[in-house]
């Protein structure tokens, strides 16, 4: 298990201004002021563990003694013996500040937190790939993709691989399996030749968050239908 807390935080303000569509507006100076607050306190963090698949079945795998139930996960990991469970976060420091009385600033702050989460997540992925000489990789996350693909309840098992995650990197799992800070992500990183992403096997129409088209061939290859029936 390894914890990373020293990410290089190069914040591209023009990227944020563009994303928030305030590039040429009178809000820029106020946004800069708020971003400066964030820069002073932000400490994005991540944790990962080298996981070995000790046992596998049609709809489960056992990693470092912990059982994960998902046919799609098992199919995705059929050709590998090693996975990298991870958690990345913007950090509790950014989560300690909010603007509950100002919706616009609250939205800006949430976007800044998401930016720092990306720093942690992308930095972690690059670090693992370099350290373990991985080439092509994909990720799967509990609760990601179509409902039932890998149930969100399995966050509990994922967190159990690390022990006390809250004291290690400040991320807490709620009773409904959501993470606090809200700008945190968790999942498995694994080597693969397949272009897997949750969106490619999700049939939801008109989703604003879609990052890849639905791929029927991948859906069939991963036997998703059978996976969803197991969960019913
Ligand atoms: S299409 Fe939307 S709901 Fe489906 S996995 Fe992608 S982001 Fe999630």
């Amino acid at each position: 298990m390894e914890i990373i807390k020293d990410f290089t935080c190069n914040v591209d303000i023009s990227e944020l201004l563009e994303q928030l569509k305030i590039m040429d507006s009178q809000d820029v100076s106020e946004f800069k002021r708020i971003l400066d607050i964030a820069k002073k306190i932000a400490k994005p963090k991540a944790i990962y563990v080298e996981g070995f698949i000790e046992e596998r079945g049609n709809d489960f795998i056992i990693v470092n003694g912990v059982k994960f139930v998902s046919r799609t996960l098992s199919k995705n990991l059929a050709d590998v013996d090693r996975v990298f469970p991870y958690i990345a976060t913007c950090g509790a420091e950014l989560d300690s500040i909010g603007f509950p009385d100002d919706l616009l600033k609250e939205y800006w702050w949430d976007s800044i937190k998401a930016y720092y989460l990306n720093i942690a997540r992308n930095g972690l992925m690059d670090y693992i790939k370099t350290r373990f000489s991985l080439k092509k990789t994909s990720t799967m996350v509990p609760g990601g993709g179509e409902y039932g693909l890998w149930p969100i309840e399995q966050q509990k098992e994922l967190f159990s691989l690390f022990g006390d995650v809250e004291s290690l990197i400040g991320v807490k799992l709620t009773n409904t399996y959501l993470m606090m800070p809200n700008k945190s992500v968790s999942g498995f990183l694994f080597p693969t030749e397949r272009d897997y992403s949750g969106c490619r096997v999700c049939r939801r129409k008109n989703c604003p968050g879609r990052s890849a088209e639905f791929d029927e061939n991948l859906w069939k290859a991963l036997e998703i239908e059978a996976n969803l029936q197991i969960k019913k």
Side-chain angles (χ1 to χ4, degrees), residues 94-132:
L94 286 180
D95 213 38
S96 67
I97 291 183
F99 300 88
D101 299 328
D102 190 325
L103 280 181
L104 181 62
K105 285 182 189 163
E106 186 71 7
Y107 173 61
W108 288 352
W109 192 255
D110 220 43
S111 302
I112 291 169
K113 282 163 62 182
Y115 193 94
Y116 277 95
L117 167 60
N118 270 337
I119 287 175
R121 184 187 182 280
N122 296 340
L124 175 69
M125 301 291 148
D126 289 345
Y127 178 81
I128 296 175
K129 284 187 208 173
T130 304
R131 174 155 183 215
F132 295 94

Side-chain angles (χ1 to χ4, degrees), residues 4 11 13 19 25 49 55 59 67 69-70 73 78 89 94 100 123 129 159-160 167 171 173 199 205 212 219 232:
I4 306 173
V11 179
I13 186 169
Q19 183 192 319
S25 86
V49 65
E55 206 181 319
D59 63 346
K67 187 173 185 180
V69 180
S70 160
L73 183 66
T89 179
L94 286 180
K129 284 187 208 173
F159 270 57
S160 77
S167 67
V171 178
L173 198 58
C199 293
K205 296 203 187 318
W219 169 275
K232 277 174 189 166

